[in-house]
């Protein structure tokens, strides 16, 4: 023995200093340290009976730069084999929980709607459904344009659902709903201490969470000018770095952006980068307001009537003709 820790001495009830120079078999019952010293073969996670306890131990040979064995390091990993079983049971439970939570997370991040949820029989809606399915088969960025309430998020869901990425996350983010000082960290993530309030834990950004899936940036015109070059680089390189970090992460995602504003006008006014506009406007889809597809009014009204009947447990069978005329 050339070294004997104080904690191991307390465990065995022996003076660590008094063991120096003794043969290992004189110190630890059932010792195999001298055998490992002869064979040079490590013994990892072996059972050993010490003081009427079944323990789990390591015996690791130490070699110098000439590959010559100079010592053997012994360590008790668990003071009772039953501890290993308890730990294994806990790990098994945790593993089951993680699988359950992963499944729930996939469901939460999945798209909620498909093309079947796009209601309307007008020629323009029929063509838009076909265009959505066609666009879904590509990986090109899509720009959804239209007034508030025209169904931009519904189309984004449907496009993701019709794509090859449907089993991967659909990550939604409303650029107008995030405080300005948190937009970069929300999109790209951050490392511990990246900014005041970041805490001591790292957090992945929305682009990382959308890996192999789709990220939907609603109200993209709300992104400040200073952030737009960073978004452009992520779109072009498909790689990003967290705020306060040095590591670059590759991300495979499909971008769908949406706006109710005239982006070309924003570009002319210098409020939106032209290069970013061309990068996101690969497949433009304009969603018309209901007033431009009046034929869908009655179809939508009856669709919602049926839906509300189910939710409210009512039995309203029809909409009064005068009320329908007023809606139209």
């Amino acid at each position: 023995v050339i070294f004997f820790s104080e904690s191991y001495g307390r465990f065995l009830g022996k003076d660590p200093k008094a063991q120096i120079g003794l043969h290992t078999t004189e110190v630890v019952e059932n010792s195999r340290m001298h055998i490992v010293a002869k064979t040079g073969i490590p013994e990892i996670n072996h059972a050993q009976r010490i003081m009427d306890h079944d323990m789990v131990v390591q015996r690791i040979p130490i070699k110098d730069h000439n590959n010559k064995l100079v010592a053997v390091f012994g360590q008790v990993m668990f003071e009772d084999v039953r501890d290993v079983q308890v730990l294994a049971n806990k790990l098994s439970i945790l593993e089951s929980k993680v699988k359950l939570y992963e499944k729930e997370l996939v469901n939460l991040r999945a798209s909620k709607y498909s093309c079947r949820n796009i209601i309307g029989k007008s020629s323009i809606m029929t063509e838009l459904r076909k265009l959505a399915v066609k666009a879904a088969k590509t990986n090109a960025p899509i720009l959804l344009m239209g007034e508030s309430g025209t169904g931009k998020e519904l189309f984004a869901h449907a496009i993701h659902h019709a794509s090859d990425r449907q089993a991967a996350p659909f990550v939604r983010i409303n650029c107008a709903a995030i405080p300005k000082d948190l937009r970069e960290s929300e999109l790209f993530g951050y490392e511990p201490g990246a900014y005041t309030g970041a805490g001591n834990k790292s957090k992945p950004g929305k682009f990382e969470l959308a890996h192999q899936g789709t990220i939907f940036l609603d109200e993209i015109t709300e992104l400040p000018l200073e952030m737009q070059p960073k978004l452009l680089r992520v779109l072009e390189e498909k790689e990003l770095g967290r705020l306060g970090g040095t590591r670059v992460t590759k991300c495979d995602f499909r971008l769908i952006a949406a706006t109710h504003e005239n982006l070309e006008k924003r570009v002319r006014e210098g409020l939106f980068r032209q290069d970013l506009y061309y990068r996101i406007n690969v497949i433009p889809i304009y969603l018309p307001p209901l007033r431009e597809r009046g034929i869908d009014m009655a179809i939508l009204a009856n669709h919602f009537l049926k839906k509300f009947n189910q939710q409210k447990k009512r039995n309203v069978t029809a909409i009064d003709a005068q009320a329908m005329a007023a809606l139209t």
Side-chain angles (χ1 to χ4, degrees):
V1 177
I2 59 174
F3 172 80
F4 201 93
S5 71
E6 292 185 7
S7 59
Y8 197 36
R10 286 193 299 270
F11 173 69
L12 293 179
K14 297 183 178 183
D15 178 10
K17 294 179 181 178
Q19 312 311 311
I20 305 301
L22 297 178
H23 194 273
T24 182
T25 53
E26 299 177 74
V27 179
V28 182
E29 61 179 302
N30 302 321
S31 175
R32 289 180 52 85
M33 297 277 279
H34 56 299
I35 296 173
V36 173
K38 288 180 180 178
T39 63
I41 301 171
E43 295 180 351
I44 307 296
N45 296 336
H46 278 222
Q48 182 174 345
R49 188 86 176 167
I50 305 176
M51 297 177 64
D52 296 323
H53 287 280
D54 291 318
M55 303 185 178
V56 178
V57 302
Q58 319 267 38
R59 306 180 188 96
I60 304 168
I62 300 172
K63 299 179 181 181
D64 63 12
H65 61 281
N66 294 319
N67 205 34
K68 180 183 176 183
L69 189 140
V70 294
V72 176
F73 173 69
Q75 181 182 28
V76 175
M77 299 300 296
F78 297 97
E79 295 181 6
D80 197 319
V81 169
R82 288 172 296 182
D83 293 340
V84 182
Q85 188 59 50
V86 170
L87 183 61
N89 291 338
K90 287 182 178 179
L91 286 173
S92 179
I93 293 170
L94 286 172
E95 192 176 49
S96 299
K97 286 184 177 180
V98 166
K99 287 180 180 179
L100 176 64
Y101 296 150
E102 283 179 342
K103 189 176 180 180
E104 288 184 358
L105 192 59
V106 167
N107 291 333
L108 285 170
R109 289 182 180 161
S111 54
K112 297 178 182 177
Y113 310 106
S114 67
C115 286
R116 291 194 301 271
N117 300 107
I118 300 174
I119 307 300
K121 292 185 178 179
S122 61
S123 59
I124 189 167
M125 291 306 291
T126 303
E127 288 303 314
L128 281 172
R129 276 194 295 268
K130 290 179 182 178
L131 178 58
V133 172
K134 192 175 181 181
K137 303 307 177 185
T138 76
N139 278 317
I142 295 172
L143 179 61
L144 300 172
M145 296 168 286
E147 297 175 18
S148 296
T150 50
K152 296 186 289 294
E153 184 168 344
L154 173 62
F155 265 83
H157 277 275
I159 290 167
H160 174 75
H161 190 272
S163 73
D164 295 335
R165 298 174 180 266
Q166 61 173 280
F170 176 78
V171 178
R172 307 176 295 279
I173 185 165
N174 188 324
C175 299
I178 308 171
K180 288 184 179 180
D181 54 341
L182 294 179
R183 284 173 185 163
E184 185 172 352
S185 61
E186 279 293 312
L187 287 176
F188 308 125
Y190 59 82
E191 294 294 346
Y195 60 91
T196 304
N200 58 358
K201 292 183 179 180
S202 61
K203 181 184 176 182
K206 299 296 185 183
F207 281 97
E208 282 186 72
L209 296 176
H211 181 58
Q212 296 185 332
T214 301
I215 185 165
F216 174 53
L217 296 183
D218 199 7
E219 302 299 347
I220 194 169
T221 51
E222 294 297 321
L223 281 181
L225 273 171
E226 62 270 17
M227 265 194 67
Q228 292 178 22
K230 297 176 183 177
L231 175 59
L232 180 64
R233 187 177 187 280
V234 171
L235 294 177
E236 289 177 341
E237 305 295 334
K238 290 294 177 74
E239 61 182 29
L240 56 89
R242 291 181 183 176
L243 199 64
T246 56
R247 184 171 59 90
V248 174
T249 304
K250 285 283 185 182
C251 285
D252 171 28
F253 60 85
R254 157 16 117 63
L255 175 78
I256 301 177
T259 180
H260 69 277
E261 298 192 44
N262 186 325
L263 260 182
E264 289 187 357
K265 183 182 176 184
R266 300 273 292 187
V267 170
R268 288 195 299 270
E269 293 171 346
L271 299 174
F272 201 85
R273 288 179 63 104
Q274 187 177 45
D275 48 5
L276 179 58
Y277 168 66
Y278 288 126
R279 194 70 182 80
I280 64 175
N281 191 31
V282 179
I283 302 179
I285 298 179
Y286 171 73
L287 305 181
L290 190 55
R291 64 180 177 273
E292 293 180 15
R293 49 187 181 95
I295 191 176
D296 291 332
M297 183 67 243
I299 297 168
L300 279 165
N302 284 298
H303 165 77
F304 285 113
L305 176 62
K306 182 178 178 182
K307 180 179 178 181
F308 295 144
N309 272 337
Q310 291 173 344
Q311 290 179 353
K312 304 295 183 182
K313 308 298 181 186
R314 300 292 179 85
N315 189 29
V316 181
T317 56
I319 298 174
D320 181 82
Q322 192 174 353
M324 183 62 76
L327 287 170
T328 303

